[in-house]
Amino acid sequence: MPSSNNQITFRKATPSDVAQAVPLIYSSGPDVCEFMFYDAKKGSAQNFFAYGFTRSGGELGYDNHTCILIDNKVVGIGAIWNGKKTFSFMLADIKKIFAFFGFFKGLMILFRALKVEMLIPPPKKKEWVIAHLAIDSTITGKGLGTKLIHYLIDSVSIKPDEKTILDVSFINPKAQKLYERLGFKVTKKKESKLQRKKYNVKVPGHYRMERE
């Protein structure tokens, strides 16, 4: 539990953060993660995330993430990027998917990813998206999420005609209230029918939230 004596710092993630970072990234949306990436042979989506995180480039790459630390221990993670990176991220992630899963399974994953994009669209040209946001569950409610969001926003140059966006699950009202306190407003509500019955995976609906 953080106190006045604990030192809270931020830094860019590195490949060596994989053991702490991947479970946190996964916890930001486990249903979505498993819907897209679970494989009977490869196992949980976390196995692919570990592969993707330790390699630069793309949405999953370590170089796209920022860590929040308490006394040099990683306790949270998040990422922010804009729509100008959407195409380059897509190419990098497709390459990782095919390298990890193989061609045919990779095609099936891309098909599911397209379905998820209908629910959670990537950022447009003048949008900055905050994603993969998570704080260690043992120390939530201590203001670390707020600090991380402020840090992420301050770390980039958001122009007056641009907006910051994020998506939050229907089943995560606590996070939604935090975002509302930080000035985000719900602009879209999208129901979800995405599921993989065989693996008991069901993706909940999501709110798109924006901050001018």
Side-chain angles (χ1 to χ4, degrees):
M1 182 181 298
S3 69
S4 58
N5 295 323
N6 295 125
Q7 183 181 18
I8 298 174
T9 55
F10 302 87
R11 64 165 170 78
K12 296 296 290 184
T14 68
S16 62
D17 294 318
V18 61
Q20 295 77 37
V22 166
L24 288 168
I25 295 171
Y26 177 83
S27 71
S28 68
D31 296 314
V32 174
C33 298
E34 295 295 353
F35 175 80
M36 285 197 290
F37 299 114
Y38 179 81
D39 179 76
K41 290 186 177 180
K42 296 289 187 177
S44 169
Q46 293 193 61
N47 296 325
F48 171 63
F49 282 12
Y51 175 86
F53 182 85
T54 54
R55 290 155 176 82
S56 63
E59 183 178 329
L60 280 175
Y62 65 87
D63 50 335
N64 188 42
H65 291 86
T66 296
C67 298
I68 181 171
L69 303 89
I70 294 180
D71 297 336
N72 293 317
K73 178 185 177 182
V74 175
V75 295
I77 200 162
I80 186 169
W81 69 92
N82 64 9
K84 294 178 182 178
K85 290 187 176 181
T86 297
F87 184 69
S88 63
F89 273 17
M90 179 185 69
L91 292 180
D93 290 331
I94 287 174
K95 183 178 179 181
K96 291 180 183 181
I97 287 169
F98 284 140
F100 187 80
F101 290 101
F103 181 73
F104 292 107
K105 286 186 178 180
L107 287 178
M108 289 189 289
I109 288 168
L110 292 178
F111 178 71
R112 291 196 294 269
L114 288 174
K115 289 184 176 182
V116 170
E117 281 197 2
M118 298 295 290
L119 177 68
I120 308 173
K124 297 177 181 178
K125 187 176 181 180
K126 292 193 175 185
E127 293 178 337
W128 291 83
V129 64
I130 295 176
H132 305 171
L133 190 71
I135 300 296
D136 188 321
S137 61
T138 63
I139 52 172
T140 56
K142 305 300 179 183
L144 296 175
T146 298
K147 292 179 184 295
L148 180 54
I149 291 171
H150 282 312
Y151 183 88
L152 290 170
I153 292 173
D154 291 342
S155 70
V156 295
S157 299
I158 301 176
K159 298 177 182 178
D161 62 338
E162 296 177 331
K163 64 182 69 172
T164 310
I165 64 171
L166 52 79
D167 294 273
V168 61
S169 165
F170 287 178
I171 61 175
N172 196 356
K174 186 176 180 181
Q176 183 183 343
K177 288 181 180 179
L178 167 62
Y179 304 146
E180 288 172 344
R181 289 198 299 271
L182 294 174
F184 288 87
K185 297 179 180 180
V186 173
T187 55
K188 290 181 183 179
K189 177 182 179 181
K190 290 197 174 185
E191 303 287 346
S192 171
K193 295 182 180 179
L194 302 180
Q195 59 181 321
R196 297 175 72 184
K197 292 183 180 180
K198 183 178 179 180
Y199 302 115
N200 195 31
V201 174
K202 186 175 182 179
V203 178
H206 278 68
Y207 294 111
R208 168 58 57 93
M209 303 185 74
E210 296 182 1
R211 182 175 187 247
E212 296 293 338

